[in-house]
Amino acid sequence: MTILFASDLDRTLIYSKKSRGHEISEHDLAIVEWRENNPAAFMTKEGLEIFKELSSSIEFLPVTTRTNKQYERLFGLYNPQEKPTYSIVSNGAVILENGRPIPEWSDKVKEQLEADCTSIPHVLSQIEPYIQRGSILNSLQAENWFAYMIIDEGRFTVEDFEDLSQLFFKQGFTLSKQGRKLYVMPNCINKSLALEFVTDRLEAEIVIAAGDSLLDLDMVLGADYGFIPQHGEVILNNRALPSHVQITDHTGVLAGEEIIKKVSEICYNMYE
Ligand SMILES: [Mg+2]
């Protein structure tokens, strides 16, 4: 039986210094990413150990909004030679098979972007007033797929988020705020469609999915078992969730460990 564990990475399994919380000592943390010689992302040592053990009984599928280049910085996540066969990066615009993008998948996404008129220039012209006001500090692009912004958290209000959400919703985008980053994501670039593709390829019978943000919600809802960290954007939005979706008891990096432990339990019970 093939069990697929599809998980978002940042703020679900791995945590920055800012998002990891204060309930755990430095000593109990493992570094999974280095950026310019500085540790940038962490898991608990215990969580990482169980995670690595899991790879013998489960197909792990990272499903991240990171681009391939940003994803490749996660040196500490896998044992050498144990990288997953598939990885979903750029929020589902790119599926990697043994480290190489599957061209027919990305071509299909590109065609859809053009058909939906959900291109980056279209987004940038509309956020200009927010940049002038100083609530959006900078806009960036993820390899021509989508735009994301760095916001001034003190100036960017809940109303700003709601106004922009409504404006872009009508045009076929989903907005997601993750710390200082604001994503304006075309609906045709989504994690759950890419997950469906990989589920079929692997002929997986059971899908477990985890994620913290609004960009993860469809994937988590569509899985057989879903996990959302308590600090997740989805929880803050007070959405009603079906019974197959569990919210963690912990927040921060400990929520990541909790998810890994629960996935490990599910696996154990399945194979028993
Ligand atoms: Mg996340």
Side-chain angles (χ1 to χ4, degrees):
M1 179 168 51
T2 305
I3 304 175
L4 178 61
F5 173 33
S7 183
D8 171 51
L9 298 175
D10 293 271
R11 290 169 177 253
T12 298
L13 292 188
I14 67 172
Y15 290 81
S16 67
K17 218 169 210 168
K18 207 176 156 204
S19 64
R20 74 190 186 197
H22 305 286
E23 291 149 27
I24 186 145
S25 78
E26 198 94 19
H27 174 78
D28 294 320
L29 291 170
I31 300 163
V32 293
E33 177 183 29
W34 291 84
R35 217 178 291 170
E36 289 157 8
N37 294 326
N38 292 311
F42 307 83
M43 289 170 80
T44 66
K45 281 181 183 165
E46 195 183 344
L48 181 60
E49 200 174 307
I50 303 170
F51 175 75
K52 285 183 174 174
E53 279 166 18
L54 259 181
S55 68
S56 60
S57 51
I58 212 168
E59 287 282 349
F60 177 64
L61 173 69
V63 189
T64 179
T65 304
R66 287 178 177 236
T67 60
N68 190 11
K69 208 170 149 200
Q70 293 166 337
Y71 168 61
E72 279 180 352
R73 290 199 303 244
L74 299 173
F75 288 108
L77 199 52
Y78 312 111
N79 289 328
Q81 313 303 325
E82 277 184 5
K83 273 195 156 188
T85 314
Y86 292 96
S87 310
I88 293 172
V89 296
S90 296
N91 205 61
V94 177
I95 301 176
L96 305 172
E97 187 179 32
N98 297 315
R100 290 204 193 92
I102 299 176
E104 56 271 32
W105 177 262
S106 295
D107 289 349
K108 211 175 84 179
V109 175
K110 256 179 233 159
E111 273 169 32
Q112 196 61 48
L113 276 174
E114 277 166 30
D116 294 351
C117 303
T118 45
S119 61
I120 293 173
H122 188 76
V123 171
L124 297 184
S125 61
Q126 296 177 83
I127 58 148
E128 195 52 45
Y130 292 83
I131 293 183
Q132 282 175 8
R133 222 182 291 154
S135 53
I136 292 178
L137 302 173
N138 197 5
S139 63
L140 300 149
Q141 302 186 13
E143 293 174 344
N144 291 329
W145 292 115
F146 57 85
Y148 61 101
M149 287 101 213
I150 306 298
I151 57 167
D152 180 326
E153 286 182 278
R155 286 193 183 168
F156 191 86
T157 62
V158 178
E159 289 75 32
D160 285 339
F161 182 83
E162 274 164 17
D163 290 348
L164 278 176
S165 282
Q166 278 180 20
L167 174 76
F168 281 114
F169 176 76
K170 289 182 204 142
Q171 302 170 22
F173 294 87
T174 300
L175 245 71
S176 170
K177 183 181 163 300
Q178 302 177 28
R180 291 175 67 226
K181 285 184 185 160
L182 179 74
Y183 292 88
V184 184
M185 191 63 70
N187 287 341
C188 67
I189 298 183
N190 75 69
K191 293 180 171 187
S192 67
L193 281 177
L195 170 58
E196 263 176 46
F197 179 90
V198 178
T199 305
D200 287 348
R201 276 264 172 124
L202 291 171
E203 297 180 5
E205 281 126 317
I206 304 281
V207 178
I208 307 170
D212 68 300
S213 82
L214 289 172
L215 301 178
D216 302 308
L217 187 61
D218 284 350
M219 158 175 98
V220 173
L221 293 178
D224 298 296
Y225 299 87
F227 293 100
I228 300 177
Q230 202 195 110
H231 56 257
E233 187 186 18
V234 179
I235 309 300
L236 303 176
N237 275 266
N238 282 326
R239 295 191 182 226
L241 294 166
S243 60
H244 72 279
V245 176
Q246 279 187 51
I247 301 164
T248 61
D249 295 328
H250 295 95
T251 59
V253 70
L254 288 174
E257 181 186 294
E258 186 182 335
I259 290 169
I260 291 165
K261 283 180 174 167
K262 286 188 169 153
V263 171
S264 169
E265 268 169 41
I266 293 173
C267 258
Y268 182 79
N269 291 333
M270 294 268 180
Y271 288 118
E272 230 194 8

